[in-house]
Amino acid sequence: MTHTLHPIPAFSDNYIWALHQDGQALVVDPGEASGVLSYLREHGLSLAAILITHHHADHTGGVVELRAATGAAVYGPVVEPMPEPLTRLDQGEHVDVLGLRFEVMHVPGHTAGHIAYHCAEVDGAPLLFCGDTLFSGGCGRLFEGTPAQMLDSLDRLAALPPHTRVCCTHEYTLSNLRFARAVEPDNHDLAAYAAHCESLRQRNLPTLPSSIGLELTINPFLRSRQPRVAQAVQQHSGQPSLDDTAVFAALREWKNVF
Ligand code: ZN
Ligand code: FE
């Protein structure tokens, strides 16, 4: 049983992830319907489910049209405004779709109710749909959550198995890596990964999915407790003795104005 995992591009830098097998598909965070409908048609798929991670329009804007066109079941977070009707899922609950079980993690920070979907095994490796919480080389902006909440959310994602494939919703990798290299100029894994991603983007290929193991070596927001990273942040902020949460907060603020 092999599943196909494919990022459908939307807007200028969104990906709507599609996972399908035997003619049945799920999509994650469809901000618009048109690209999904053509993908389904092209591949002869029926849409079984729509998974939503958070309420932003670039993740939900296509839900009403897709549900009307396909009858797909819709799943989303508990506490956010959502295109009703849908099944709302909380931390520790799960959704069974395409013969797979996705566990729901509440990962507040970018938005208050943001959730991620984690499947322990799809064709030999775990799979994570993390919305705008974790990006390759970066993390989401803190629109509704605190630095402490986001750090805790990222810590829990970082604790997933290293070979977990990470499906982020935006192609922000190159700009994230420019910032990451300013924070960690001596990180050789990071330099090599940046060169790899630049060559992918030159050929118009996605840099995603990433993996938890890779992100642990290159993503400053998963590395804020590494002495080199913490030192760079403290130096940049001019505050010499920050605790873990304050380092993370200052790192996020640094990126906001980078
Ligand atoms: Zn968002
Ligand atoms: Fe987004």
Side-chain angles (χ1 to χ4, degrees), residues 1 7 23-24 40 52 65 72 79 90 114 142 157 176 183 193 228 237-239 252 255:
M1 293 211 309
Q24 296 286 308
L40 296 173
I52 305 173
E65 187 182 339
V79 298
D90 207 348
H114 200 302
L142 303 182
L157 295 180
N176 286 339
V183 177
Y193 179 58
R228 286 285 182 88
S237 71
Q239 296 168 281
R252 186 56 258 186
K255 171 72 164 63

Side-chain angles (χ1 to χ4, degrees), residues 16-17 26-31 49-64 66-67 72-90 95 104-105 107 111 113-117 129-132 169:
I16 301 167
W17 287 94
L26 68 80
V27 293
V28 184
D29 286 351
I50 298 171
L51 310 184
I52 305 173
T53 64
H54 68 293
H55 68 86
H56 288 157
D58 64 313
H59 299 249
T60 58
V63 171
V64 169
L66 281 176
R67 182 174 42 212
V74 182
Y75 301 88
V78 173
V79 298
E80 306 208 343
M82 282 286 132
E84 301 280 356
L86 79 165
T87 303
R88 291 177 179 272
L89 296 167
D90 207 348
V95 48
V104 171
M105 300 168 74
V107 286
T111 65
H114 200 302
I115 57 175
Y117 299 86
F129 296 117
C130 55
D132 286 355
T169 349

Side-chain angles (χ1 to χ4, degrees), residues 154-171:
L154 292 175
D155 281 344
R156 286 181 291 119
L157 295 180
L160 293 171
H163 61 306
T164 301
R165 287 172 289 170
V166 178
C167 302
C168 319
T169 349
H170 288 274
E171 180 60 69

Side-chain angles (χ1 to χ4, degrees), residues 142 146-152 154-155 220-227 229-231 233-234 239-252:
L142 303 182
T146 64
Q149 282 177 320
M150 187 57 131
L151 181 57
D152 178 64
L154 292 175
D155 281 344
F221 294 94
L222 298 188
R223 298 169 56 77
S224 61
R225 294 184 190 85
Q226 296 278 327
V229 175
Q231 248 167 39
V233 170
Q234 293 181 348
Q239 296 168 281
S241 55
L242 300 173
D243 66 20
D244 287 354
T245 305
V247 166
F248 182 82
L251 179 66
R252 186 56 258 186

